[in-house]
Amino acid sequence: MNKDFLTTAHFSTDELKGLIDRAIEIKSDRLATKPLAEKSVALVFFNPSLRTRASMQVGIYELGGNAVILEPGVTSWTLEHSDGVVMDGNKTEHLKEFVRVLERYVSAIGVRTFAALEDWETERTDPILSAFAGYASVPIINLESAMHHPCQSMADMMTIREHLGTEKKKVLMTWAWHPKPLPMAVPNSFALAAAQFGHDLRIAHPKGYELDNSLLEEIESQATARGGSIEFTNDVDEAFDRVEVVYAKSWGSKNFYGDPDGDIRERAQYRDKWIVDDAKMSRTGDAKFMHCLPVRRNVIVSDSVIDSPNSIVIDEAENRLHIQKAIMTELIK
Ligand code: CP
């Protein structure tokens, strides 16, 4: 298995299914094994979190280990990641020392580093996460980077399997209006994992909110190889027809990186239209509703949908714990 867990693209479908098998076993007997006994894992958070931070910290504890939580610029020094920089600005420590010191203490490092939504061509390469992986000899676990959130998408695939079985499903991933542009990591990783698991995936978004071109090529190639399919629509009503899973998420347009106000002006026309509500859900095949959380109620999804029996968002959040324990068990030896 790959040393790091940066994106599901680095793993075969059999390896990913094996991780879900393991997570389901772990879920059935949460405290059965302690593979991290006497080991520590660093969790580096450049950005806020509820689910990721709590589930990683609890998961490490339940596996017998110790979590070391660091917040660069808050509880540890500000960090520079670019090579060859004259560090006479506001960054105190270089990632090259940070990582190589930390790995003398810990057996793996988890990293959360969101897109700044400033420079698409740079951020699409995941520069900070890539620098961690490049400097580290211990496993690096992506806890959401500029481009990927693989722990989330694996919890999503596990949740679909638990609720609907292992056969492929008709899955809609729909963009939703949000007052400000958000990173694309969750939709990127959900679409990629859905393709890797062979689901029939429909992606709905307004014109101008397309995902990254080379990632879409990878998603299309994975869908073909795994017996699934992928289709795109800009029609937010027809998008819901006959699907079995509705996965809602808002994201920013790559055309407006560096210009958030431009994105906010562009998306204003979609307010009240691109929301998951009862009328749209009634077009589905009694679909389950999913969202990675946090979610803005009555903006992304109506109260009636997220509070309905078909909403599985809390199970989805719980599964973050179990899948991350499976990932750590496989990676940290
Ligand atoms: N879904 C998710 O990653 O949640 P947090 O941002 O709260 O960690």
Side-chain angles (χ1 to χ4, degrees), residues 242-260:
R242 293 175 301 283
V243 296
E244 297 164 282
V245 174
V246 171
Y247 195 94
K249 185 73 185 82
S250 192
W251 63 88
S253 167
K254 56 189 193 285
N255 304 326
F256 287 105
Y257 267 50
D259 179 15

Side-chain angles (χ1 to χ4, degrees), residues 45 95 105 186 230 253 263 277 292 319 321:
F45 281 89
L95 205 54
Y105 312 141
V186 168
I230 174 137
S253 167
D263 195 326
D277 56 17
C292 62
N319 283 338
L321 170 66

Side-chain angles (χ1 to χ4, degrees), residues 38-92:
E38 298 181 13
K39 292 188 164 81
S40 290
V41 176
L43 303 175
V44 183
F45 281 89
F46 290 85
N47 312 100
S49 168
L50 167 63
R51 280 142 289 270
T52 306
R53 180 169 169 157
S55 60
M56 284 298 288
Q57 193 167 357
V58 169
I60 292 162
Y61 168 77
E62 290 184 355
L63 293 174
N66 169 57
V68 178
I69 299 183
L70 298 164
E71 299 150 308
V74 184
T75 54
S76 66
W77 303 111
T78 47
L79 280 179
E80 175 60 62
H81 67 276
S82 303
D83 277 336
V85 173
V86 178
M87 290 174 55
D88 58 358
N90 59 3
K91 302 286 174 61
T92 307

Side-chain angles (χ1 to χ4, degrees), residues 112-137:
R112 164 160 288 200
T113 171
F114 288 170
L117 305 176
E118 285 168 0
D119 175 355
W120 169 249
E121 286 308 324
T122 302
E123 293 181 48
R124 67 178 293 286
T125 68
D126 253 339
I128 298 176
L129 184 73
S130 302
F132 269 89
Y135 293 130
S137 57

Side-chain angles (χ1 to χ4, degrees), residues 24 35 41 50 72 75 113 119 141 143 154 206 219 225 227 234 240 246 258 261 270 284 287-288 296 300 322 326:
I24 289 171
V41 176
L50 167 63
T75 54
T113 171
D119 175 355
I141 300 171
L143 303 180
M154 286 295 289
I219 290 168
N234 303 129
F240 285 71
V246 171
D261 291 339
Y270 304 122
T284 72
K288 302 295 183 192
R296 293 191 184 222
I300 302 285
H322 310 302

